[in-house]
Amino acid sequence: MFLKNILLNDFRNYDKILWEPCNGINFITGSNAQGKTNLLEAVFFSGLGYSFRKKDRDVIRWGKTHSSVRATYFLKDMPVDIVADINEEGKKKILINGAEDGRKFLPGRFGIVLFRPDDLETIKGPPARRREFIDNEIGMIEPVYRRRLQQYRRVVEQRNNLLRVGGGKDLQSLKIWNEQFYRYGAEVLSGRIKLLKKYSPLVREMYASIAGNHENLEIKYLSTVKISGGTDTEQIINDFIFEGKTREKEEFYKKQTVIGPHRDDIVFLINKQDARHYGSQGQIRSIVLALKTAQLQLFRLETGEQPILLLDDVLMELDDRRQHYLLQLIAGKYQSFITSTTLDDSIKRYVDRVYFVNKGTVKEES
């Protein structure tokens, strides 16, 4: 997969520009607050139908009522034309080859991997960051998993309302929601474990190539439900029911759902030591780099397409060794977009095209 061209209208600080990046490494440079990240955001928006920032409607240029992005991707040598419009109410209209298809058909499902400086918080931040990483970034390759996750979240919300308002006294209503809670919770938990079984070996391999074989990385899933073994959904449902009954009084007291995938965590162990507490800054960066490069590999293996990589002001956060490891990995393999205020000669030899961004304009440098 690669992006052939992208046309922006009133997107962030861009009035109207047509940009045709190359199919290799595109390096985007310029001073701060000129529009480098906005350009990456536009690529992300066209491929996935939403922004990687807080509110989608914030992409609309100041003083305007709507914004649009038009892009052409190539998938298996076939063009895919995307039109994504959004108005000031946040209502979006997305056309794929002229048809108003759902977001599930957008080209980003084949993999758009975003790497930003705050991704370091995936390791040391709260559990929600790690759940979000698995659900939103890795879970993208499994549409069924994503649907079950949405259903599960709705059920948890309804269940929490009953516990909060009624204190669990409406047992008949709670019983109805419990049936869905156990089913969808088990399917989400089973799906996560299956995803990690595919993903974890790739991460370990990437980490070993970065840090060396003397450091062994292990990814461990911490479930609030004690699983008796395997990923069989029916067995996990039974485990859910048992755990739910065991902690029923605690839920009535706390007035919230205390077990389930929405409360689970993932830890990263280096030589059996928890990286959150004992990992050095260099080790943390190596883990995140391994996570992102393994994402590229996973998408390629699962979809048969080469994903697109977006590096937003993160390359200079890595030391020379990690920079060259990443650039050697992606050169000639993945269409990549890298933003930075500077371009060192040691990096320039990997770059296919350089673009200078200034006040919402993009100019290719020779």
Side-chain angles (χ1 to χ4, degrees), residues 293-313:
T293 52
Q295 253 186 285
L296 294 172
Q297 303 273 36
L298 182 66
F299 277 117
R300 181 178 59 80
L301 291 171
E302 291 292 315
T303 69
E305 290 281 353
Q306 298 292 89
I308 291 171
L309 177 63
L310 308 178
L311 290 171
D312 185 25
D313 208 21

mmCIF file of all heavy atoms in Angstrom, residues 293-313:
data_model
loop_
_atom_site.group_PDB
_atom_site.id
_atom_site.type_symbol
_atom_site.label_atom_id
_atom_site.label_comp_id
_atom_site.label_asym_id
_atom_site.label_seq_id
_atom_site.Cartn_x
_atom_site.Cartn_y
_atom_site.Cartn_z
ATOM 1 N N THR A 293 7.978 -1.359 15.142
ATOM 2 C CA THR A 293 8.502 -2.118 13.994
ATOM 3 C C THR A 293 7.813 -3.478 13.880
ATOM 4 O O THR A 293 7.579 -3.975 12.771
ATOM 5 C CB THR A 293 10.027 -2.290 14.099
ATOM 6 O OG1 THR A 293 10.368 -2.825 15.395
ATOM 7 C CG2 THR A 293 10.742 -0.958 13.918
ATOM 8 N N ALA A 294 7.442 -4.066 15.020
ATOM 9 C CA ALA A 294 6.693 -5.324 14.982
ATOM 10 C C ALA A 294 5.291 -5.099 14.413
ATOM 11 O O ALA A 294 4.738 -5.987 13.754
ATOM 12 C CB ALA A 294 6.606 -5.926 16.382
ATOM 13 N N GLN A 295 4.730 -3.927 14.653
ATOM 14 C CA GLN A 295 3.442 -3.578 14.048
ATOM 15 C C GLN A 295 3.529 -3.620 12.525
ATOM 16 O O GLN A 295 2.638 -4.150 11.856
ATOM 17 C CB GLN A 295 3.042 -2.162 14.471
ATOM 18 C CG GLN A 295 1.912 -2.095 15.465
ATOM 19 C CD GLN A 295 1.484 -0.660 15.700
ATOM 20 O OE1 GLN A 295 2.172 0.108 16.389
ATOM 21 N NE2 GLN A 295 0.357 -0.298 15.140
ATOM 22 N N LEU A 296 4.586 -3.035 11.987
ATOM 23 C CA LEU A 296 4.787 -3.062 10.543
ATOM 24 C C LEU A 296 4.814 -4.496 10.032
ATOM 25 O O LEU A 296 4.167 -4.837 9.034
ATOM 26 C CB LEU A 296 6.101 -2.352 10.180
ATOM 27 C CG LEU A 296 6.200 -0.849 10.445
ATOM 28 C CD1 LEU A 296 7.627 -0.362 10.212
ATOM 29 C CD2 LEU A 296 5.238 -0.075 9.550
ATOM 30 N N GLN A 297 5.561 -5.339 10.732
ATOM 31 C CA GLN A 297 5.694 -6.739 10.326
ATOM 32 C C GLN A 297 4.358 -7.461 10.419
ATOM 33 O O GLN A 297 4.001 -8.256 9.541
ATOM 34 C CB GLN A 297 6.719 -7.444 11.235
ATOM 35 C CG GLN A 297 8.103 -6.810 11.254
ATOM 36 C CD GLN A 297 8.991 -7.332 10.145
ATOM 37 O OE1 GLN A 297 8.528 -7.597 9.049
ATOM 38 N NE2 GLN A 297 10.263 -7.501 10.439
ATOM 39 N N LEU A 298 3.607 -7.207 11.492
ATOM 40 C CA LEU A 298 2.331 -7.887 11.700
ATOM 41 C C LEU A 298 1.336 -7.526 10.601
ATOM 42 O O LEU A 298 0.663 -8.412 10.048
ATOM 43 C CB LEU A 298 1.755 -7.516 13.070
ATOM 44 C CG LEU A 298 0.440 -8.209 13.440
ATOM 45 C CD1 LEU A 298 0.639 -9.714 13.603
ATOM 46 C CD2 LEU A 298 -0.138 -7.614 14.729
ATOM 47 N N PHE A 299 1.219 -6.242 10.292
ATOM 48 C CA PHE A 299 0.306 -5.828 9.225
ATOM 49 C C PHE A 299 0.696 -6.463 7.895
ATOM 50 O O PHE A 299 -0.167 -6.911 7.134
ATOM 51 C CB PHE A 299 0.304 -4.302 9.097
ATOM 52 C CG PHE A 299 -0.599 -3.604 10.073
ATOM 53 C CD1 PHE A 299 -0.085 -2.743 11.023
ATOM 54 C CD2 PHE A 299 -1.968 -3.812 10.041
ATOM 55 C CE1 PHE A 299 -0.917 -2.098 11.927
ATOM 56 C CE2 PHE A 299 -2.810 -3.177 10.940
ATOM 57 C CZ PHE A 299 -2.284 -2.307 11.891
ATOM 58 N N ARG A 300 1.982 -6.484 7.608
ATOM 59 C CA ARG A 300 2.438 -7.073 6.338
ATOM 60 C C ARG A 300 2.096 -8.555 6.273
ATOM 61 O O ARG A 300 1.615 -9.051 5.250
ATOM 62 C CB ARG A 300 3.950 -6.858 6.187
ATOM 63 C CG ARG A 300 4.522 -7.402 4.890
ATOM 64 C CD ARG A 300 6.008 -7.101 4.793
ATOM 65 N NE ARG A 300 6.762 -7.668 5.901
ATOM 66 C CZ ARG A 300 7.140 -8.946 5.969
ATOM 67 N NH1 ARG A 300 6.832 -9.791 5.002
ATOM 68 N NH2 ARG A 300 7.827 -9.378 7.011
ATOM 69 N N LEU A 301 2.316 -9.272 7.369
ATOM 70 C CA LEU A 301 2.045 -10.707 7.394
ATOM 71 C C LEU A 301 0.552 -11.012 7.327
ATOM 72 O O LEU A 301 0.137 -11.979 6.679
ATOM 73 C CB LEU A 301 2.638 -11.329 8.667
ATOM 74 C CG LEU A 301 4.173 -11.378 8.754
ATOM 75 C CD1 LEU A 301 4.602 -11.798 10.150
ATOM 76 C CD2 LEU A 301 4.747 -12.330 7.712
ATOM 77 N N GLU A 302 -0.254 -10.197 7.989
ATOM 78 C CA GLU A 302 -1.686 -10.474 8.081
ATOM 79 C C GLU A 302 -2.468 -9.996 6.864
ATOM 80 O O GLU A 302 -3.488 -10.601 6.505
ATOM 81 C CB GLU A 302 -2.267 -9.827 9.345
ATOM 82 C CG GLU A 302 -1.800 -10.460 10.639
ATOM 83 C CD GLU A 302 -2.320 -11.874 10.823
ATOM 84 O OE1 GLU A 302 -3.520 -12.104 10.581
ATOM 85 O OE2 GLU A 302 -1.515 -12.751 11.202
ATOM 86 N N THR A 303 -2.030 -8.912 6.225
ATOM 87 C CA THR A 303 -2.808 -8.332 5.123
ATOM 88 C C THR A 303 -2.178 -8.549 3.760
ATOM 89 O O THR A 303 -2.860 -8.429 2.741
ATOM 90 C CB THR A 303 -2.992 -6.816 5.318
ATOM 91 O OG1 THR A 303 -1.729 -6.146 5.145
ATOM 92 C CG2 THR A 303 -3.541 -6.506 6.711
ATOM 93 N N GLY A 304 -0.884 -8.856 3.723
ATOM 94 C CA GLY A 304 -0.198 -8.987 2.440
ATOM 95 C C GLY A 304 0.174 -7.663 1.817
ATOM 96 O O GLY A 304 0.725 -7.616 0.703
ATOM 97 N N GLU A 305 -0.114 -6.556 2.508
ATOM 98 C CA GLU A 305 0.233 -5.214 2.027
ATOM 99 C C GLU A 305 1.331 -4.617 2.900
ATOM 100 O O GLU A 305 1.465 -4.965 4.073
ATOM 101 C CB GLU A 305 -0.999 -4.297 2.066
ATOM 102 C CG GLU A 305 -2.070 -4.622 1.044
ATOM 103 C CD GLU A 305 -1.750 -4.102 -0.350
ATOM 104 O OE1 GLU A 305 -0.747 -3.367 -0.495
ATOM 105 O OE2 GLU A 305 -2.495 -4.425 -1.277
ATOM 106 N N GLN A 306 2.098 -3.695 2.293
ATOM 107 C CA GLN A 306 3.097 -2.968 3.057
ATOM 108 C C GLN A 306 2.428 -1.789 3.753
ATOM 109 O O GLN A 306 1.866 -0.916 3.086
ATOM 110 C CB GLN A 306 4.204 -2.448 2.137
ATOM 111 C CG GLN A 306 4.984 -3.535 1.400
ATOM 112 C CD GLN A 306 5.821 -4.379 2.336
ATOM 113 O OE1 GLN A 306 5.368 -5.385 2.863
ATOM 114 N NE2 GLN A 306 7.050 -3.978 2.546
ATOM 115 N N PRO A 307 2.435 -1.713 5.080
ATOM 116 C CA PRO A 307 1.819 -0.580 5.782
ATOM 117 C C PRO A 307 2.610 0.704 5.578
ATOM 118 O O PRO A 307 3.743 0.693 5.066
ATOM 119 C CB PRO A 307 1.835 -1.020 7.242
ATOM 120 C CG PRO A 307 2.954 -1.993 7.327
ATOM 121 C CD PRO A 307 3.008 -2.692 6.011
ATOM 122 N N ILE A 308 2.003 1.797 5.987
ATOM 123 C CA ILE A 308 2.625 3.123 5.913
ATOM 124 C C ILE A 308 3.064 3.524 7.318
ATOM 125 O O ILE A 308 2.350 3.300 8.291
ATOM 126 C CB ILE A 308 1.626 4.154 5.339
ATOM 127 C CG1 ILE A 308 1.359 3.851 3.851
ATOM 128 C CG2 ILE A 308 2.139 5.580 5.510
ATOM 129 C CD1 ILE A 308 0.233 4.682 3.262
ATOM 130 N N LEU A 309 4.247 4.130 7.423
ATOM 131 C CA LEU A 309 4.794 4.543 8.716
ATOM 132 C C LEU A 309 4.809 6.061 8.823
ATOM 133 O O LEU A 309 5.301 6.749 7.923
ATOM 134 C CB LEU A 309 6.210 3.996 8.886
ATOM 135 C CG LEU A 309 6.960 4.398 10.158
ATOM 136 C CD1 LEU A 309 6.259 3.873 11.403
ATOM 137 C CD2 LEU A 309 8.405 3.904 10.123
ATOM 138 N N LEU A 310 4.283 6.581 9.938
ATOM 139 C CA LEU A 310 4.318 8.008 10.252
ATOM 140 C C LEU A 310 5.156 8.214 11.504
ATOM 141 O O LEU A 310 4.821 7.703 12.574
ATOM 142 C CB LEU A 310 2.898 8.543 10.495
ATOM 143 C CG LEU A 310 1.837 8.260 9.429
ATOM 144 C CD1 LEU A 310 0.489 8.838 9.870
ATOM 145 C CD2 LEU A 310 2.233 8.843 8.085
ATOM 146 N N LEU A 311 6.253 8.952 11.376
ATOM 147 C CA LEU A 311 7.130 9.254 12.519
ATOM 148 C C LEU A 311 7.048 10.747 12.805
ATOM 149 O O LEU A 311 7.606 11.560 12.068
ATOM 150 C CB LEU A 311 8.578 8.877 12.198
ATOM 151 C CG LEU A 311 8.922 7.392 12.098
ATOM 152 C CD1 LEU A 311 10.332 7.226 11.569
ATOM 153 C CD2 LEU A 311 8.797 6.722 13.450
ATOM 154 N N ASP A 312 6.329 11.105 13.852
ATOM 155 C CA ASP A 312 6.103 12.513 14.148
ATOM 156 C C ASP A 312 7.087 13.033 15.179
ATOM 157 O O ASP A 312 6.898 12.844 16.391
ATOM 158 C CB ASP A 312 4.663 12.712 14.624
ATOM 159 C CG ASP A 312 4.322 14.177 14.822
ATOM 160 O OD1 ASP A 312 4.962 15.035 14.176
ATOM 161 O OD2 ASP A 312 3.423 14.471 15.636
ATOM 162 N N ASP A 313 8.125 13.668 14.706
ATOM 163 C CA ASP A 313 9.100 14.340 15.574
ATOM 164 C C ASP A 313 9.687 13.387 16.608
ATOM 165 O O ASP A 313 9.976 13.777 17.744
ATOM 166 C CB ASP A 313 8.425 15.515 16.289
ATOM 167 C CG ASP A 313 9.423 16.623 16.631
ATOM 168 O OD1 ASP A 313 10.488 16.672 15.998
ATOM 169 O OD2 ASP A 313 9.131 17.429 17.533
#
